[in-house]
Amino acid sequence: MQRSDGSSGLVHLRPDSPVRRKGFLMGVATAAFQIEGASDADGRLPSIWDTFCRTPGKVLNGDTGDVACRHYEKWAEDVDLIADLGVDAYRLSIAWPRVMQRDGSRNEKGLDFYKRLLDRLRERGVQTYVTLYHWDLPQHLEDRGGWLNRETSYRFADYADLVSRELAGRVTAWATLNEPWCSAYLGYGNGHHAPGRTDRRYATQALHHLLLGHGLALPALQANDPQAPRGIVANVGAAAPARPTPEDHDAAHLYEVQHNAWILDALLRQRYPDDLFRLWPRTEPLVLPGDMEVIGRPIDYLGINYYYRSHVRSDGANGFVEVRVDGLERTQMDWEVHPDSLRRLLTGFRQAYPNLPPIYITENGCACDDRVEDGRVHDPERLSYIDRHLAAVDEAIREGVDVRGYFIWSLLDNFEWAFGYSRRFGIVHVDYQTQARTLKDSALAIRDFLASRQP
């Protein structure tokens, strides 16, 4: 969708923006459970999300990932779609239950699927950023305690060892975990995600074991695929005080401690922030000697996922309550659109962590109520969202933050976890009945933009 001014729809980027140059990585992202379907094909084991989907009342409309976007069957078509967009890279995840048997041995058919997928992406000139864990823990491990069980950290390291040996040379860069905050807090703290537990003490212990698994996996990735950089992906949150009071400013601080410092302090300072336990008293996890050193092992890059800003007020007892402020631009998820918070967070991380590694924005995007009309999908809100967030990244780079790439979430409309198929994040529309793919206007604009970049 070329605009009359030749801007390809991205009007907020300055002409000299580094984002406009081919050296800045531009990609699209997906996750295995959200698109693959084929939930019991070729020896795939059940995951916690298969179980969660079948628990009444947990997923909107009773939706499941059984079919999703049928990517397990349509992968070659989807690779061609990715390549034809002209993106530099594709971020995908490996389904742990698809590639590993209960006894820890390989599942050849599952591994072969990813080998074919990665080989085809390489043939089409697309770099591959592979995440090992995007929330689909094998159910048999959850039956033994899941991430509350320290043993799961070691089983994750075994899984990372197997997959990195099998896929070595096919992967541009590895990420151990996607959004451990979501796995820990939404999965074990408030029950919104699988496995649906509801205890803050569980959340802090699960997060510790997730990060421990991350640290334990790094040596295997280094040994098996030394040419591929290794990192982790963290979702980050921004907060603004609902009122100009010291109490609400402190509430906003606590919100960002819980969403950001909880993970980043552990990774980059080898400790958990004291203010987390001011917010959540008596929830300290069991940390054994040497754990924080393992968690804090050096990484080659940090993935950052950002979507929205929240407004918060004090709850009057060292905590915060999120409040909805009317009159603000919001997405289909009812999330406030606030690009400058991404810039602020990035520059703040650079100041807070002298050892901050290079950053990739590994997810950024928005859900819209998209419909196909006369063969087209008009989604100007999404294009505007991407445009302004890329401009915020550009500003952060100008302020000294080492941001090297940006991935749009998502390539395809897909299974949006507890919201099922009711939310559409893709730049490509999926008709879930026919599985037809239709490039939205945002995808056409991104394709034109990528074709116009300068060396």
Side-chain angles (χ1 to χ4, degrees):
M1 185 181 70
Q2 193 82 10
R3 294 192 179 192
S4 58
D5 62 1
S7 64
S8 299
L10 300 182
V11 298
H12 287 82
L13 286 176
R14 303 182 192 183
D16 64 341
S17 168
V19 177
R20 290 190 179 275
R21 295 195 288 269
K22 292 183 178 179
F24 185 86
L25 191 85
M26 290 287 292
V28 289
T30 65
F33 190 84
Q34 294 180 266
I35 66 168
E36 285 181 359
S39 59
D40 59 357
D42 295 333
R44 180 188 177 276
L45 301 174
S47 77
I48 56 174
W49 271 95
D50 296 296
T51 302
F52 196 71
C53 289
R54 286 165 174 75
T55 304
K58 293 299 186 182
V59 177
L60 195 63
N61 301 318
D63 291 340
T64 75
D66 291 352
V67 176
C69 304
R70 286 178 54 188
H71 176 71
Y72 193 71
E73 304 166 38
K74 298 172 71 67
W75 64 271
E77 174 187 332
D78 289 340
V79 169
D80 289 343
L81 187 156
I82 293 166
D84 291 345
L85 284 173
V87 296
D88 304 307
Y90 175 47
R91 179 175 174 244
L92 66 150
S93 74
I94 306 297
W96 188 348
R98 198 178 291 286
V99 298
M100 201 173 199
Q101 309 278 15
R102 289 176 66 99
D103 63 3
S105 60
R106 64 168 62 87
N107 179 351
E108 294 288 358
K109 290 183 178 179
L111 287 165
D112 285 347
F113 165 70
Y114 291 109
K115 289 175 182 177
R116 293 193 302 271
L117 174 61
L118 293 168
D119 285 347
R120 180 65 171 265
L121 286 161
R122 180 170 55 184
E123 289 168 6
R124 293 302 311 269
V126 179
Q127 299 178 48
T128 50
Y129 281 64
V130 173
T131 303
L132 287 167
Y133 184 70
H134 201 126
W135 307 355
D136 46 359
L137 183 71
Q139 181 61 44
H140 68 88
L141 292 178
E142 179 60 33
D143 292 341
R144 297 202 293 268
W147 291 109
L148 298 179
N149 184 351
R150 185 181 177 90
E151 189 65 21
T152 302
S153 305
Y154 294 91
R155 299 293 72 79
F156 176 73
D158 293 341
Y159 158 64
D161 183 34
L162 170 66
V163 172
S164 59
R165 277 188 283 110
E166 291 286 337
L167 302 184
R170 291 177 161 94
V171 173
T172 304
W174 295 96
T176 52
L177 308 175
N178 177 76
E179 299 185 348
W181 183 94
C182 290
S183 296
Y185 183 68
L186 300 182
Y188 292 85
N190 73 2
H192 183 61
H193 280 186
R197 302 194 184 212
T198 54
D199 190 312
R200 288 173 178 172
R201 177 68 176 79
Y202 289 170
T204 59
Q205 193 64 63
L207 191 281
H208 181 67
H209 289 154
L210 281 152
L211 293 183
L212 181 64
H214 152 79
L216 291 169
L218 290 175
L221 299 177
Q222 167 68 31
N224 296 334
D225 201 7
Q227 301 306 311
R230 296 156 298 282
I232 187 173
V233 172
N235 59 299
V236 299
R243 303 166 298 186
T245 65
E247 293 79 10
D248 282 11
H249 278 278
D250 186 54
H253 163 72
L254 290 173
Y255 177 101
E256 294 193 2
V257 166
Q258 191 238 76
H259 282 75
N260 307 334
W262 186 13
I263 288 85
L264 298 183
D265 276 16
L267 293 169
L268 301 174
R269 291 177 174 164
Q270 299 185 10
R271 63 188 301 274
Y272 294 113
D274 292 337
D275 277 351
L276 179 67
F277 306 113
R278 175 163 68 90
L279 175 66
W280 293 343
R282 298 177 299 280
T283 62
E284 292 86 346
L286 175 62
V287 178
L288 299 187
D291 281 2
M292 300 311 295
E293 289 76 14
V294 171
I295 290 171
R297 283 172 171 162
I299 52 178
D300 299 310
Y301 75 94
L302 174 65
I304 292 291
N305 295 353
Y306 170 82
Y307 288 96
Y308 63 96
R309 181 179 73 167
S310 295
H311 283 80
V312 299
R313 62 172 174 81
S314 171
D315 66 358
N318 283 326
F320 62 82
V321 177
E322 294 188 49
V323 296
R324 192 181 193 281
V325 177
D326 293 334
L328 301 176
E329 180 184 0
R330 295 182 179 277
T331 70
Q332 190 191 22
M333 296 289 288
D334 200 34
W335 293 345
E336 182 197 354
V337 178
H338 199 263
D340 192 59
S341 285
L342 175 57
R343 179 205 60 79
R344 178 181 66 80
L345 288 173
L346 291 173
T347 56
F349 297 154
R350 178 176 178 268
Q351 294 169 1
Y353 303 105
N355 58 337
L356 185 71
I359 287 174
Y360 290 84
I361 306 303
T362 35
E363 289 182 26
N364 181 243
C366 70
C368 302
D369 185 17
D370 301 320
R371 305 171 189 274
V372 179
E373 297 176 351
D374 298 324
R376 295 286 296 272
V377 181
H378 302 294
D379 60 339
E381 298 89 354
R382 177 175 292 105
L383 180 56
S384 175
Y385 180 102
I386 293 170
D387 179 16
R388 287 176 286 160
H389 283 80
L390 280 170
V393 170
D394 174 61
E395 291 296 329
I397 294 171
R398 293 174 187 276
E399 293 182 41
V401 185
D402 187 1
V403 184
R404 300 187 180 182
Y406 174 95
F407 290 79
I408 297 168
W409 185 271
S410 170
L411 170 68
L412 303 172
D413 292 335
N414 56 49
F415 177 82
E416 184 49 40
W417 307 111
F419 292 96
Y421 296 98
S422 67
R423 306 293 192 269
R424 292 183 177 271
F425 274 89
I427 59 172
V428 176
H429 182 277
V430 177
D431 182 319
Y432 297 118
Q433 298 303 314
T434 67
Q435 292 295 325
R437 273 77 160 139
T438 303
L439 270 65
K440 301 177 186 180
D441 285 355
S442 58
L444 299 175
I446 292 295
R447 186 182 64 187
D448 290 346
F449 168 73
L450 293 171
S452 70
R453 285 185 300 169
Q454 300 300 311

